Amino acid sequence: MAMGVNEWWATDGAERFWMEITNRTDIGTNLWAPQLDDGGREYWSYSLVRFVREGDLVLHWSKQEEPGGESSIVGWSRVAGQPMESTIEWQSRGTYGRSRTSTGEEPAWLAPLTSYQPLDMPVTQTRMRALEPVVRQIRDNLQSKYVGGLYFPFAISDRRPLRAAQGYLVKFPRDLLTAIPELSLLLALTEAETDATSREQKHRDARLGVGRISDIEVRQAIERHAVEMVMAEFSQRGYKVADVGAIRSWDVEAEKNGERLHIEVKGSAISRGAIELTDNEVRHAEDYSNTALVVIDQISWKQTENGQVETSGGIWREWNPWTPSRFDLLPTRYRYILPDPSI
């Protein structure tokens, strides 16, 4: 756990919402923040990037004001993968930040985003100020329920009108979605996804003695489901199939009429506009012409009464043959060979 971060939401699977406060022009690309603040210390709003999880929903508060406009919640995205270490050239904001020269690249946290959707009607600062009484009540209710920082998305005081919090990434409590009619659609989109980890499910699990399923268990079950779907489909097409993922850089090998097909399989519980590939996977697809890619997303899963992960469904997309273009590949991390410090 990052120093000073209070995971008040960790026991409630319905709390899957965050808000990025930014002046970026490439909103929806990723969450990206330095690991340390200007003083070399961990800062909760940067460290929160480490706590997002695949499938979480991120609202975007843009400080890019159009002429005659104002800061607003302009859209939302999905977290597309687990947070990772990266680097960033960061220029802090505010009076001190503007007077401080950039120190070049520094260690950062990065979480990929996908499926950015602009809101038909942005939620402006003026609109949020009209809702301040109910927003204040939600904040007060959370403060009475949880000990420690809430990382609330809005600053509320008796001296100034409501405004976005001072920070980069903040937690967006689910109750706020019910208070903002323009965002009510997001509740419907996530309702089915959060059922399996709702309080009711957790209480039922506790009565049954069922433990909390780890992210690794869920991910492995979803990947296994996707591989089994691919093997069943290609078997019906007349191929002899084998699961070779444990020993090869591809997942399924299919053979028919003396020709072999190497199939890369990607499974996900959410809709994917991008996938992660290893260097070996890319190089193999470039070198071997009989390679196919199958992506199966929107796979449903739930925890059974005996504590297992049960999967079903999924949307099939196939590229056959498949050779990834280097123009479509976005580097998200680098391997750095450490030089000899004595030289």
Side-chain angles (χ1 to χ4, degrees):
M1 168 173 165
M3 183 181 303
V5 171
N6 174 38
E7 294 183 81
W8 61 265
W9 61 89
T11 58
D12 189 345
E15 293 289 354
R16 304 180 58 191
F17 307 94
W18 308 80
M19 188 168 81
E20 179 190 36
I21 301 170
T22 185
N23 57 10
R24 296 172 61 171
T25 58
D26 60 343
I27 285 176
T29 304
N30 52 42
L31 297 175
W32 200 11
Q35 295 184 12
L36 304 175
D37 65 12
D38 296 333
R41 300 175 297 270
E42 288 191 9
Y43 175 42
W44 63 265
S45 190
Y46 299 160
S47 296
L48 282 181
V49 175
R50 295 178 58 189
F51 292 84
V52 302
R53 293 293 177 262
E54 184 172 357
D56 286 358
L57 190 148
V58 180
L59 296 161
H60 301 282
W61 178 278
S62 175
K63 296 187 285 187
Q64 292 280 350
E65 300 179 11
E66 298 293 334
E70 57 183 314
S71 300
S72 308
I73 301 175
V74 296
W76 57 275
S77 301
R78 292 282 192 181
V79 178
Q82 298 303 314
M84 64 188 75
E85 293 191 50
S86 180
T87 59
I88 191 172
E89 186 168 346
W90 184 264
Q91 178 65 59
S92 299
R93 304 296 168 186
T95 303
Y96 171 73
R98 287 191 294 269
S99 66
R100 172 181 177 266
T101 58
S102 173
T103 57
E105 290 197 346
E106 56 186 294
W109 301 117
L110 183 148
L113 300 177
T114 189
S115 304
Y116 173 70
Q117 293 288 330
L119 292 174
D120 293 335
M121 182 179 296
V123 183
T124 65
Q125 182 165 263
T126 297
R127 172 61 170 155
M128 289 307 308
R129 287 175 175 174
L131 295 170
E132 181 171 339
V134 67
V135 173
R136 182 189 292 264
Q137 185 61 58
I138 290 171
R139 182 204 61 181
D140 292 347
N141 290 344
L142 290 170
Q143 286 179 334
S144 66
K145 184 176 181 180
Y146 299 105
V147 177
L150 295 175
Y151 321 118
F152 201 70
F154 301 104
I156 304 173
S157 71
D158 296 329
R159 298 186 300 274
R160 296 180 59 185
L162 176 148
R163 60 203 180 281
Q166 185 74 27
Y168 169 67
L169 186 65
V170 291
K171 201 74 181 72
F172 201 92
R174 184 181 182 279
D175 286 347
L176 273 180
L177 293 179
T178 65
I180 306 172
E182 295 88 340
L183 302 180
S184 60
L185 172 64
L186 303 185
L187 281 178
L189 289 173
T190 58
E191 198 67 40
E193 299 170 9
T194 57
D195 279 349
T197 51
S198 65
R199 287 191 183 90
E200 180 181 354
Q201 179 67 47
K202 288 179 181 294
H203 293 163
R204 187 184 305 117
D205 289 347
R207 291 195 299 272
L208 295 170
V210 176
R212 183 176 183 271
I213 296 177
S214 70
D215 290 341
I216 294 176
E217 289 176 289
V218 174
R219 186 169 64 252
Q220 289 176 340
I222 288 171
E223 291 172 350
R224 184 67 220 165
H225 177 88
V227 167
E228 289 176 351
M229 280 186 66
V230 168
M231 293 180 67
E233 170 62 25
F234 277 85
S235 180
Q236 287 186 351
R237 297 182 189 181
Y239 286 87
K240 180 180 179 181
V241 297
D243 181 352
V244 297
I247 58 174
R248 303 294 188 189
S249 61
W250 57 96
D251 298 294
V252 174
E253 195 165 279
E255 183 176 355
K256 182 170 70 172
N257 299 329
E259 292 192 4
R260 288 185 179 180
L261 181 64
H262 295 176
I263 308 171
E264 183 65 41
V265 182
K266 298 295 181 181
S268 175
I270 64 172
S271 177
R272 301 302 297 264
I275 59 172
E276 292 187 7
L277 297 170
T278 67
D279 185 63
N280 283 341
E281 290 168 346
V282 172
R283 291 180 183 274
H284 175 77
E286 289 175 334
D287 296 340
Y288 193 89
S289 60
N290 285 355
T291 299
L293 169 68
V294 177
V295 175
I296 302 174
D297 57 11
Q298 301 181 54
I299 297 172
S300 301
W301 68 273
K302 65 180 180 180
Q303 183 178 5
T304 64
E305 293 186 356
N306 62 0
Q308 302 301 308
V309 182
E310 184 177 284
T311 55
S312 62
I315 304 300
W316 177 292
R317 284 178 289 167
E318 179 180 338
W319 293 260
N320 186 6
W322 170 64
T323 302
S325 167
R326 288 283 170 172
F327 292 104
D328 295 328
L329 295 172
L330 176 67
T332 57
R333 66 169 68 194
Y334 298 90
R335 179 177 175 84
Y336 177 60
I337 307 299
L338 295 175
D340 187 339
S342 65
I343 298 177

